[in-house]
Every structure is written in structure tokens, then in C-alpha cells.
Amino acid sequence: MQSEIHALIFDFGGVISRTLFETHQLSEKALGLKSGSLTWRGPFDPAGDDLWRSMQEGKITERDYWATRTNEVADMIGASWGQMSDFVKAARGASPLEIIRPEFLTTIEQAKEAGIRLAILSNELDLFYGAEFRGKLPFLKDFEVIHDATYTNILKPAPRSYQACLDDLGLSAEQCLFIDDQARNIEGAIIIGLQTIHFDVMDPAKSYSAVLRQLGL
């Protein structure tokens, strides 16, 4: 039987924002690339993205995947980017709220009204987006805990990653619902006893409906 949920713990990435796979047209326009220049599609076309499949098979990390894509796009436009956040800022940094999932914003409003606490547990929040990105997202003021492995270097699915977030919330694992789009991170969360939703980036509305159902909202 599921315990009452006192807090939602979100991955950032594709759970909160539209993925870079979904916004190729916006990226191409922002970067001055011809339409159709960006062909890698990750979970939207695994058969056509060998590098994504390598990540899913555990041969490379998510950081490795995005480091490669960042370097590829930098070469295409003649940029000298040093990290993933340079890519993200160039592709979507001017208006980050435009790529936030509306279903996410609706969900956290309902959760707040129900007295449910909010947290983020990310492997690469500032590494991928840049620290200044947070200042452009007013909803983050409602999150009392933000754990970012950019600084701790304790990455999901390591048990210590989840436990650090729980310790800051002062809650047990079974009192929290964790939402992530990577299967390995969901598996790690289940091992330590968190309630979970495996987020489907191809059907975000369905995933957020599942979150609200599990909250009883």
C-alpha cells in the first residue's frame, strides 16, 4: 500500500522542460542553422541515434552524450563552446520559460495548494543550463530543496544522491514521489524505497496525469 505523499521530487531535464530533441527547429533558428541540420532525436528516434542507444546501454553517461552533441553543434557554427551550458544558452537561453512544460506548472500549483512540498534532484542542472538560468525561472522560489550534482558530483542512481535530498526534506523515502525520465534513475529510486513515476517525454500530459492521480488530486 502506498504511503501518503508529502513531497514531490523532480528531475529537471525533460521532466520540467521540453527536451532539446523536441526543440530542434527553435535551436536551428537561434543558431542560424538551416532547417533539418540537427538530426539526432534521442528517445524520439532511438534507431537513428547510435549515441543515444550507447547511453541507454550504459556504455557512456548522459554527460558524455551531451558533451559530444555540444561539440558537434559548435563545429557546425564555428563556436568555441566549453560546456553544455554554452550550447543551451545559445539555443534557448533568451526565453527559458517558453520551453517549460505547461503540465509541470499546473501540477506544482495543484501540489502547493494541497500542501505538498517541492524539491529538485538533478545530475546536471547548472552544468547543462548555467547558474544564471535559475534566475529566469520564477517558479523555482517554490522549491525548498534543489540538489544539483554539478556541485556534489554524487549522481543518480547512486543511493547517496537520493538520500541527501531526503535528508534536507526531513522525510522518509516512502513519503516522497520521485519523477524522472531515465529508467536507471527510477530503478535507483525504487531501491531506496521512493515512490516513483517514470516520466515519458513522448507523452508528458499522460505522465503528469499519473502524478496527480498518485497525489489524489
Side-chain angles (χ1 to χ4, degrees):
M1 182 177 177
Q2 292 177 340
S3 300
E4 182 182 353
I5 295 167
H6 294 264
L8 288 176
I9 303 175
F10 293 88
D11 175 41
F12 197 87
V15 173
I16 289 177
S17 67
R18 294 166 65 199
T19 65
L20 281 166
F21 306 111
E22 297 169 75
T23 58
H24 277 339
Q25 288 184 327
L26 294 176
S27 297
E28 289 163 349
K29 182 177 179 180
L31 299 171
L33 292 168
K34 285 183 6 179
S35 179
S37 296
L38 303 178
T39 58
W40 33 271
R41 297 274 295 156
F44 296 88
D45 180 21
D49 192 336
D50 293 344
L51 197 64
W52 178 262
R53 294 201 308 276
S54 292
M55 189 193 85
Q56 294 300 308
E57 292 165 6
K59 296 176 182 176
I60 63 171
T61 67
E62 189 171 12
R63 292 185 179 188
D64 294 332
Y65 178 91
W66 286 112
T68 299
R69 295 303 183 211
T70 296
N71 291 333
E72 288 173 352
V73 178
D75 288 344
M76 293 170 76
I77 66 170
S80 55
W81 294 334
Q83 52 194 355
M84 171 70 176
S85 61
D86 294 327
F87 177 17
V88 173
K89 282 184 280 188
R92 52 168 52 168
S95 304
L97 277 175
E98 291 180 4
I99 51 88
I100 299 301
R101 298 194 186 280
E103 300 93 344
F104 160 74
L105 296 173
T106 299
T107 297
I108 63 170
E109 282 304 314
Q110 293 189 49
K112 281 162 44 185
E113 289 173 7
I116 295 167
R117 299 160 66 190
L118 303 173
I120 288 172
L121 179 59
S122 172
N123 279 354
E124 299 99 358
L125 176 53
D126 286 357
L127 178 68
F128 280 10
Y129 293 86
E132 64 274 22
F133 184 81
R134 296 196 197 188
K136 298 179 180 180
L137 302 175
F139 61 79
L140 287 181
K141 72 181 187 306
D142 296 318
F143 283 76
E144 61 180 275
V145 171
I146 298 179
H147 265 280
D148 183 2
T150 298
Y151 305 106
T152 67
N153 211 33
I154 304 171
L155 278 68
K156 299 171 291 185
R160 283 194 302 153
S161 174
Y162 307 99
Q163 191 59 54
C165 187
L166 291 170
D167 289 346
D168 278 359
L169 286 166
L171 296 172
S172 62
E174 61 270 17
Q175 291 176 309
C176 300
L177 177 60
F178 173 69
I179 305 109
D180 199 297
D181 62 334
Q182 294 294 324
R184 74 185 77 178
N185 296 338
I186 291 294
E187 291 163 5
I190 290 171
I191 287 171
I192 73 158
L194 281 158
Q195 299 187 58
T196 62
I197 295 285
H198 186 187
F199 190 86
D200 184 356
V201 296
M202 289 175 283
D203 196 347
K206 181 178 179 181
S207 293
Y208 274 113
S209 291
V211 172
L212 292 173
R213 281 198 306 274
Q214 201 150 329
L215 295 177
L217 300 177

